[in-house]
Amino acid sequence: MANKGRLIIISGPSGAGKGTICYELIKRMPELIVSRSVTTRPPRTNEQKNRSYLFVSQAEFLSMVQNNELLEYDHHFEHFYGTPRKFVEDMLKFGKDVILEIDVKGALQVKQNFPDSMLFFVEAPSEQALYDRLKKRGTETEEKIQIRMARSRLELAQKNKYDYCILNDSLERAVGEIMDILKK
Ligand code: 5GP
């Protein structure tokens, strides 16, 4: 079965600005479809239930894994995160380009199954900038920020496996760079 749409994967450290970049991308390219991940993480106070994620219990998540309903999944920051398979495959069949905002491990799993997918790694200008953004976001305790910082170093070490590295030194510039690549 030939897929008509493209799979666009955006990864990068927590706090590097992936979410904002995705938001700006779909504002400027409304033809793009964003996949909504499923997670066992509880919603943050500013997160509308089942808008940014489909929030499920661990039992529900594991049942989705067993039923092969996830394209990929991973366990990090004490919770499960995964990409619902059917939605993504249906959209690709309809010729839609689909964005997945997922971590490095998930991205590399998807690349194995969909070798044509386009992998973008979004990087913050510095470790300090990353820390400042996480702190400013105010959604994590200092201990959790440190866990995210440690994970970001591991993710950064794998950026050479990505097709494109995007430095998020300016939102405008970073979004423009991704759009130029997508429109080529
Ligand atoms: P957060 O808890 O900050 O929303 O997300 C934590 C990390 O989980 C981020 O790096 C995000 O990209 C990743 N993530 C979100 N959804 C998925 C998913 O469906 N699969 C995988 N593998 N990672 C995800």
Side-chain angles (χ1 to χ4, degrees):
M1 178 190 69
N3 290 318
K4 286 187 276 171
R6 294 175 296 180
L7 253 184
I8 300 155
I9 302 181
I10 308 217
S11 307
S14 180
K18 292 165 293 181
T20 316
I21 287 180
C22 286
Y23 178 78
E24 286 299 322
L25 275 177
I26 50 167
K27 235 169 56 184
R28 295 168 204 203
M29 296 177 75
E31 67 276 20
L32 294 177
I33 304 284
V34 179
S35 154
R36 185 180 51 157
S37 295
V38 55
T39 185
T40 58
R41 162 168 85 58
R44 297 185 180 125
T45 41
N46 59 345
E47 262 172 348
Q48 282 187 24
K49 209 162 189 276
N50 299 339
R51 270 293 282 283
S52 41
Y53 284 105
L54 183 64
F55 295 99
V56 298
S57 67
Q58 181 148 323
E60 286 170 310
F61 192 98
L62 294 176
S63 143
M64 291 178 92
V65 172
Q66 266 199 337
N67 296 328
N68 198 25
E69 290 172 33
L70 300 179
L71 202 64
E72 61 72 38
Y73 70 95
D74 194 14
H75 185 263
H76 42 257
F77 307 133
E78 299 164 19
H79 301 291
F80 286 104
Y81 296 79
T83 305
R85 176 189 299 283
K86 187 169 182 336
F87 176 80
V88 173
E89 291 185 345
D90 284 352
M91 288 300 130
L92 293 176
K93 262 189 262 167
F94 289 139
K96 300 283 185 192
D97 289 342
V98 184
I99 301 189
L100 309 184
E101 189 207 316
I102 61 177
D103 80 321
V104 170
K105 206 165 144 205
L108 298 177
Q109 272 182 60
V110 175
K111 184 81 174 174
Q112 271 194 341
N113 298 326
F114 295 83
D116 292 339
S117 47
M118 302 170 79
L119 261 55
F120 291 88
F121 189 92
V122 174
E123 211 179 327
S126 65
E127 211 171 275
Q128 185 63 43
L130 198 61
Y131 176 83
D132 292 345
R133 281 190 201 167
L134 285 173
K135 196 82 185 161
K136 196 166 152 214
R137 196 159 83 179
T139 53
E140 254 76 36
T141 59
E142 179 63 28
E143 189 196 347
K144 289 200 169 154
I145 290 180
Q146 289 307 330
I147 294 172
R148 282 177 184 248
M149 293 296 296
R151 187 179 169 88
S152 78
R153 286 177 209 118
L154 294 177
E155 294 211 325
L156 217 58
Q158 303 208 65
K159 71 174 184 183
N160 62 339
K161 297 183 179 155
Y162 276 65
D163 301 312
Y164 308 98
C165 283
I166 309 292
L167 183 65
N168 189 13
D169 49 352
S170 130
L171 181 63
E172 267 316 299
R173 207 203 49 74
V175 171
E177 191 180 344
I178 298 178
M179 283 176 64
D180 285 347
I181 295 168
L182 294 180
K183 285 179 176 168
K184 253 185 218 159

